[in-house]
Amino acid sequence: MSNEKNTSDINTDVQELEQQLSGETDPYRQLEMLAAFCRKVRYGNPELAYTYAVRMFEIAEVLQDNFWMGRALYAQAIYEEFYAYRDSQSTIDKLLRAAQLFEEAGDSNMQARVWYALATEYSKQEDYSSARDMCKKAMVVFEQMEDKHNYANCKNYLGFIDSHTGRLPEALEGLMAALVLYQELGDIYGQSLSYSSLGAVYMEIKDYQRAIINYSQSLELVRQLGQPMVEALGE
């Protein structure tokens, strides 16, 4: 019944959006409407969000607006994350073009966000060298902007990359630094990720006591977030 209700709600939202778009003559207002709608449905229906992100790009391309073209491509790549089957190289190509468009638009913040997304995509292809380069580039920008949250995300992901390339001391250092930042920010989800990654590294070096402690910390934080499905996976 819940799924039927969600589908009905989304269909109603789509109808309302289409009515608003048809009555709006300002293309930038249309882009804002589409972006807001994509954010609203990205978790419940990422394929629908992707479809509307494609429409965003079509409008932005007519305007020849580099920022909005980059934003639309970045959105498409992010929504593709939720697909079970997708072409990772196609996602990388979108992100590379988005990064170039944001550079031309002079938006270093969005460019750094794209670099971070590229780091995750390169990791999936096991191209850890490119992943590390992209993550470090993003981290420099976030540090300059004093964006502690995204800087912490980069630190945490660098730890993940190092753990997968046998750089275990560096992985521990990076993950611990990220954990401290997440604690300062009060980011429980970020802390849970860091603890879980630390547990995996300690398992790798056969320090089972610390591994259990960190896994337990991660599970406790997930419980605080009230995510029973994630909790079950953690156990």
Side-chain angles (χ1 to χ4, degrees):
M1 187 72 180
S2 176
N3 288 338
E4 291 178 4
K5 183 179 185 300
N6 290 337
T7 301
S8 176
D9 289 344
I10 289 176
N11 289 338
T12 300
D13 290 340
V14 168
Q15 291 174 2
E16 291 178 355
L17 174 66
E18 292 293 348
Q19 289 176 356
Q20 292 171 356
L21 289 172
S22 64
E24 181 58 66
T25 58
D26 182 349
Y28 284 101
R29 280 290 301 137
Q30 292 177 340
L31 287 169
E32 291 286 358
M33 290 176 188
L34 289 166
F37 179 79
C38 288
R39 288 193 298 271
K40 183 176 182 179
V41 303
R42 60 182 171 176
Y43 296 118
N45 196 327
E47 292 190 29
L48 182 62
Y50 179 89
T51 298
Y52 279 99
V54 170
R55 285 182 62 175
M56 283 172 60
F57 183 82
E58 292 169 350
I59 295 172
E61 190 174 32
V62 171
L63 296 169
Q64 282 299 289
D65 187 305
N66 287 340
F67 170 79
W68 275 103
M69 284 193 288
R71 187 168 170 180
L73 287 172
Y74 175 63
Q76 291 173 34
I78 294 302
Y79 303 145
E80 285 175 350
E81 288 286 324
F82 298 93
Y83 291 4
Y85 303 100
R86 65 193 182 90
D87 183 348
S88 182
Q89 187 56 51
S90 174
T91 301
I92 287 174
D93 291 342
K94 286 187 177 75
L95 289 169
L96 288 171
R97 188 176 178 197
Q100 181 180 0
L101 288 165
F102 285 130
E103 181 178 8
E104 293 170 2
D107 194 317
S108 57
N109 175 45
M110 288 302 301
Q111 189 176 28
R113 290 172 183 265
V114 172
W115 286 335
Y116 179 76
L118 277 164
T120 66
E121 286 300 319
Y122 282 127
S123 289
K124 290 169 187 174
Q125 293 191 347
E126 298 186 357
D127 183 355
Y128 294 114
S129 176
S130 295
R132 181 179 285 108
D133 289 344
M134 287 294 170
C135 205
K136 285 185 173 180
K137 285 171 64 174
M139 191 163 62
V140 169
V141 175
F142 292 136
E143 184 176 27
Q144 291 172 345
M145 298 182 66
E146 298 184 356
D147 184 341
K148 290 185 178 181
H149 187 263
N150 278 312
Y151 181 82
N153 289 341
C154 288
K155 268 286 187 188
N156 191 67
Y157 204 72
L158 276 175
F160 167 83
I161 294 169
D162 286 335
S163 70
H164 279 70
T165 53
R167 297 159 54 96
L168 300 181
E170 292 86 350
L172 286 174
E173 181 181 353
L175 291 168
M176 287 177 178
L179 175 60
V180 170
L181 288 169
Y182 285 135
Q183 288 171 336
E184 291 175 357
L185 294 166
D187 185 340
I188 295 176
Y189 179 68
Q191 292 176 55
S192 72
L193 291 178
S194 292
Y195 278 124
S196 179
S197 296
L198 282 166
V201 175
Y202 281 123
M203 284 291 289
E204 189 70 21
I205 62 178
K206 296 181 171 54
D207 188 339
Y208 300 120
Q209 183 176 0
R210 281 194 173 94
I212 292 171
I213 290 171
N214 280 275
Y215 279 136
S216 297
Q217 288 275 23
S218 177
L219 183 57
E220 178 57 34
L221 290 170
V222 170
R223 284 175 173 152
Q224 289 181 33
L225 289 170
Q227 299 183 37
M229 184 177 294
V230 178
E231 179 180 325
L233 290 172
E235 293 178 326

